[in-house]
Amino acid sequence: MVEGIIIQGLIKGGTYALLAVGFSLIFGVARMINLSHTCFYMLAAYGIYAFAKMLGMPLIAAAVLSLLATTIIGILTYRLFIDRVREHHVTVMLITLALAMVFQEWMIISFTSEPLGAPSFISGYWEIIGVKVSYQHLLTFGVALAVLICVWALLSKTRLGVAIRATAQDSEIANLMGINVRRILLVTMGMAAVLAAVAGIVVAPTLTLEPRMWTSPLVMIMAIVVLGGLGSVKGSFIGAFIIGFVEVLVVFLMPGGAFLKGAFALLVMVIILLVRPEGLFGIAFEEERL
Amino acid sequence: MLRRLLKDFQGDVLAIPGRLLALIFFVILFFIPLFLQGSSGSYYLRIFIFANMYVIFAVSWDLLSGYTGQLNFGHALFFGVAAYTTALLNLHLDWQPWLTIPLGALAGVIAGLVVCLPALRLRGPYLALVTLAFPLILLGIVFAFTDFTGGELGISGLDRISNSRTTDYYISVAVMIVSVMIMWKLTDARSSLVRTGIVFHAIREDEIAARASGINTIRYKLLAFAVAGFFAGIAGAFHAHFMRIAGPSNLELTLSFQVIIWTVFGGITSIYGPVVGVYILFPLMELLRVVPEVRNLIFAGIVVAMLLFMPEGIAVWVRDKIERECPRCKLSNMAFRKTCRACDTPLYERAVD
């Protein structure tokens, strides 16, 4: 029981971390809440199903293609729709929501709303402290950690990372220092899309694919980024594991837990915003509070 | 007395094209049932009744988020709380609709005050996230305690409002017009009767400046949430009695976003904007039922195009075409006049020869 909770929590946390870091990155740099973020996760998962099962490609090729396609879609949506209205919070939230609906309908039209299953990368399982963990779950966790370490290295060790962090701190000053802010925003959006797509690809085999699969993780990552502090990458990483464990605990220990897990995560979010609005590691945006 | 009223009517309604259109619209609403007879007419009347309820709902969102600037992304909470309260009171205590609908609206007020507690400390995207969370939390509770709330199926078998659809329609029109008029008056910044309008504008534009000017902003924010909760609650309770069911769809995210889309489509921060938005988009969605596969896709496409190319909203766009504000005395004039009707100032700058 306890072992099961720990291992399930780590795996859940890993996936949420991938999604939440991208969401938090784009909020930190562009100050916009992208409600279509988890749609890229859905697109990548459906992409792997389409390439591997419908077209019969080898899995690795399907994964790479799906990742590329999702990233291109992510950058295009930013360039065509979001970029023009990014100064206005409400408009950004509305337009990304409308785009999420477009993606959902697109998936319903192309794949019907029947639940589908994607093929597994590797089969079999491994017994850790008496709990059977499938290799697919271990792969999910491993890939999540590897990708997040890459993101951390990129943000802290490269010139591009410095530029992204500078833009997040103050985009006007960054612009005066010769950073092309529009390009940085585009790159950040691309990175967020890549992170979401990686999450979608590794998780796809363990889930059933359906066109509404973007809503439940969206609610979860909103709670996570608020818990960790909006715009803080480290915060969303740690927050993802906390919320992941909370979710698993609620599902394991409470009757009707599957329905209440979202409610619990959101309750955590509301309490955090009331008690400590900057989150665990967030930067306090003085001008955005009273 | 009567002559003065007539004169006011001439000056304040007939001379302003937007208000003239609103008057014509209200008059048409009263004659609609005459043209819709038989079973298909009954179906169309049903659409109009829904539209009337959603108008109240959308206008209450506009009052809260458009005027007062408290961005609410979970407006369905008020609608759903009122619907469930009404349903429980009607089924278990067997109270009549004329009693349960106001009580449902009161439940909406209480929900509004509860949501207001975090709203006093937060703003912008943070407030949007918190308000988004409340209906979802409640939805989780609804699904977890199915024997009390009915879960997925909801609570059904409520009393009808009246026995005929036409009566239902006239009640809904009356409630809609009265509610919209009250909210219009409450948000009217130039009103000499109430000062809420100008205070709401001030809170939206700069809350700290409003507070520095000696306005108790907390009291006015509470008022805005309570009023929005009340009218959204009326809409929700009426909806529950008309549909004879209160279910989880009354709390869902879709409804919260629908109301924002209607309002932004019609024109945010203008009471007539949401009215126009609902009366265009809601029947359009019903018409699109003939192509069910692409219905939502078309809807989302319209929203995206609207936000990109006409961000001020369709009603405001039209108003700017047919009305012209006098640059000196700020009185609205018909767009084709050359000089202001009150002070004779030229409305348009003369082209330099």
Side-chain angles (χ1 to χ4, degrees):
Chain A
M1 180 83 166
V2 180
E3 302 88 345
I5 289 174
I6 290 173
I7 285 166
Q8 283 288 325
L10 282 176
I11 291 163
K12 272 267 179 250
T15 339
Y16 284 152
L18 275 177
L19 285 168
V21 164
F23 188 86
S24 180
L25 206 59
I26 197 78
F27 181 84
V29 176
R31 293 284 184 283
M32 58 183 216
I33 292 178
N34 179 7
L35 293 178
S36 61
H37 185 70
T38 43
C39 274
F40 302 128
Y41 155 87
M42 174 182 76
L43 285 181
Y46 267 104
I48 203 162
Y49 175 83
F51 289 126
K53 247 193 173 161
M54 289 164 79
L55 299 177
M57 287 188 196
L59 259 178
I60 300 297
V64 172
L65 262 181
S66 166
L67 181 67
L68 272 179
T70 312
T71 314
I72 291 169
I73 293 173
I75 291 175
L76 275 183
T77 48
Y78 178 75
R79 193 90 190 81
L80 291 178
F81 302 110
I82 307 173
D83 193 25
R84 305 180 186 204
V85 293
R86 90 184 139 80
E87 301 294 323
H88 312 281
H89 289 303
V90 196
T91 320
V92 168
M93 286 178 89
L94 283 177
I95 214 163
T96 49
L97 187 88
L99 287 171
M101 265 173 73
V102 169
F103 288 133
Q104 177 188 315
E105 295 304 312
W106 178 26
M107 291 302 112
I108 291 180
I109 291 169
S110 355
F111 298 97
T112 74
S113 39
E114 297 295 310
L116 304 169
S120 243
F121 284 90
I122 34 178
S123 51
Y125 59 87
W126 188 29
E127 272 199 35
I128 325 172
I129 40 178
V131 185
K132 285 181 188 170
V133 187
S134 71
Y135 283 126
Q136 184 61 42
H137 276 125
L138 281 180
L139 183 77
T140 308
F141 186 62
V143 169
L145 273 191
V147 170
L148 287 171
I149 288 170
C150 288
V151 169
W152 172 77
L154 180 84
L155 282 180
S156 55
K157 304 284 179 199
T158 62
R159 282 177 66 85
L160 177 67
V162 175
I164 290 176
R165 283 186 292 144
T167 315
Q169 242 175 30
D170 193 326
S171 65
E172 275 167 37
I173 305 293
N175 202 1
L176 290 177
M177 295 294 128
I179 295 169
N180 185 345
V181 169
R182 284 187 63 149
R183 217 187 63 206
I184 292 296
L185 293 183
L186 203 63
V187 170
T188 316
M189 187 67 194
M191 273 173 67
V194 167
L195 287 171
V198 168
I201 288 168
V202 291
V203 167
T206 60
L207 289 178
T208 48
L209 308 182
E210 42 137 2
R212 287 185 67 85
M213 64 189 275
W214 58 279
T215 45
S216 123
L218 183 67
V219 171
M220 288 311 208
I221 61 171
M222 284 195 308
I224 289 164
V225 292
V226 169
L227 173 65
L230 273 165
S232 153
V233 172
K234 186 172 82 176
S236 18
F237 179 76
I238 294 169
F241 283 98
I242 297 178
I243 294 284
F245 274 109
V246 168
E247 182 188 327
V248 174
L249 274 175
V250 170
V251 172
F252 265 75
L253 301 179
M254 288 203 33
F259 296 117
L260 284 174
K261 64 181 186 184
F264 256 86
L266 289 168
L267 201 63
V268 170
M269 179 182 102
V270 172
I271 292 168
I272 290 282
L273 272 177
L274 285 181
V275 180
R276 194 180 150 85
E278 65 271 26
L280 295 176
F281 300 95
I283 321 103
F285 302 118
E286 275 305 326
E287 75 275 16
E288 286 165 16
R289 279 199 62 202
L290 272 178
Chain B
M1 173 72 192
L2 209 71
R3 192 172 295 167
R4 232 187 81 200
L5 252 166
L6 202 70
K7 210 176 160 197
D8 277 358
F9 177 73
Q10 245 175 13
D12 286 344
V13 180
L14 292 185
I16 303 170
R19 289 190 190 165
L20 191 61
L21 281 181
L23 186 72
I24 294 171
F25 172 70
F26 284 159
V27 171
I28 289 176
L29 276 187
F30 274 103
F31 289 107
I32 275 178
L34 294 182
F35 305 106
L36 298 173
Q37 303 287 343
S39 63
S40 72
S42 158
Y43 171 72
Y44 289 119
L45 264 191
R46 192 182 127 105
I47 295 178
F48 278 104
I49 296 172
F50 276 127
N52 285 333
M53 283 175 252
Y54 289 137
V55 162
I56 304 174
F57 188 43
V59 173
S60 75
W61 187 81
D62 198 26
L63 182 142
L64 181 59
S65 304
Y67 280 89
T68 322
Q70 307 300 310
L71 205 50
N72 188 349
F73 267 65
H75 210 57
L77 178 76
F78 308 150
F79 196 88
V81 164
Y84 271 102
T85 312
T86 308
L88 290 174
L89 288 178
N90 185 249
L91 271 192
H92 294 304
L93 299 179
D94 212 18
W95 290 356
Q96 294 304 304
W98 59 266
L99 188 59
T100 55
I101 291 178
L103 285 174
L106 277 185
V109 172
I110 293 166
L113 294 179
V114 169
V115 175
C116 193
L117 295 177
L120 294 174
R121 302 190 59 192
L122 305 165
R123 61 163 109 164
Y126 293 82
L127 182 61
L129 282 179
V130 167
T131 48
L132 190 70
F134 276 108
L136 294 178
I137 294 174
L138 199 60
L139 204 58
I141 295 171
V142 164
F143 279 124
F145 301 100
T146 42
D147 40 345
F148 187 59
T149 59
E152 187 86 51
L153 297 172
I155 308 167
S156 54
L158 275 69
D159 288 345
R160 286 178 201 280
I161 293 175
S162 69
N163 286 325
S164 91
R165 180 135 303 168
T166 319
T167 319
D168 280 355
Y169 174 79
Y170 277 116
I171 294 174
S172 80
V173 168
V175 171
M176 188 271 276
I177 292 180
V178 170
S179 309
V180 169
M181 280 303 173
I182 292 174
M183 283 189 276
W184 175 66
K185 210 61 209 164
L186 279 178
T187 53
D188 184 6
R190 289 178 205 157
S191 164
S192 49
L193 282 175
V194 282
R195 60 185 209 134
T196 46
I198 193 108
V199 173
F200 286 166
H201 278 281
I203 291 176
R204 182 193 65 228
E205 291 300 329
D206 193 333
E207 191 169 344
I208 293 167
R211 205 182 277 179
S213 320
I215 294 169
N216 187 346
T217 54
I218 291 178
R219 189 185 296 165
Y220 279 95
K221 274 200 216 172
L222 280 168
L223 183 70
F225 269 95
V227 171
F230 182 78
F231 285 107
I234 286 188
F238 202 99
H239 185 273
H241 271 293
F242 179 64
M243 289 282 284
R244 307 182 66 205
I245 183 168
S249 67
N250 294 344
L251 278 170
E252 258 172 9
L253 219 50
T254 334
L255 189 63
S256 303
F257 286 123
Q258 283 286 2
V259 62
I260 304 174
I261 287 168
W262 287 327
T263 310
V264 173
F265 183 86
I268 196 168
T269 327
S270 67
I271 291 300
Y272 43 82
V275 181
V276 174
V278 171
Y279 261 93
I280 292 178
L281 283 182
F282 189 74
L284 183 74
M285 281 303 276
E286 293 298 317
L287 283 182
L288 283 177
R289 279 191 196 282
V290 289
V291 278
E293 311 86 35
V294 288
R295 178 167 166 253
N296 285 326
L297 198 62
I298 294 175
F299 182 68
I302 291 174
V303 172
V304 171
M306 185 71 207
L307 290 172
L308 287 179
F309 301 115
M310 211 192 274
E312 75 271 29
I314 198 160
V316 177
W317 186 79
V318 169
R319 187 201 61 189
D320 288 348
K321 290 276 173 286
I322 58 171
E323 277 183 25
R324 174 83 187 175
E325 195 177 63
C326 171
R328 198 166 78 190
C329 61
K330 306 291 175 213
L331 208 62
S332 301
N333 283 279
M334 296 203 186
F336 57 78
R337 288 184 75 106
K338 290 208 175 56
T339 55
C340 172
R341 64 194 160 97
C343 62
D344 245 12
T345 319
L347 289 176
Y348 302 94
E349 279 178 34
R350 298 250 170 76
V352 182
D353 294 321

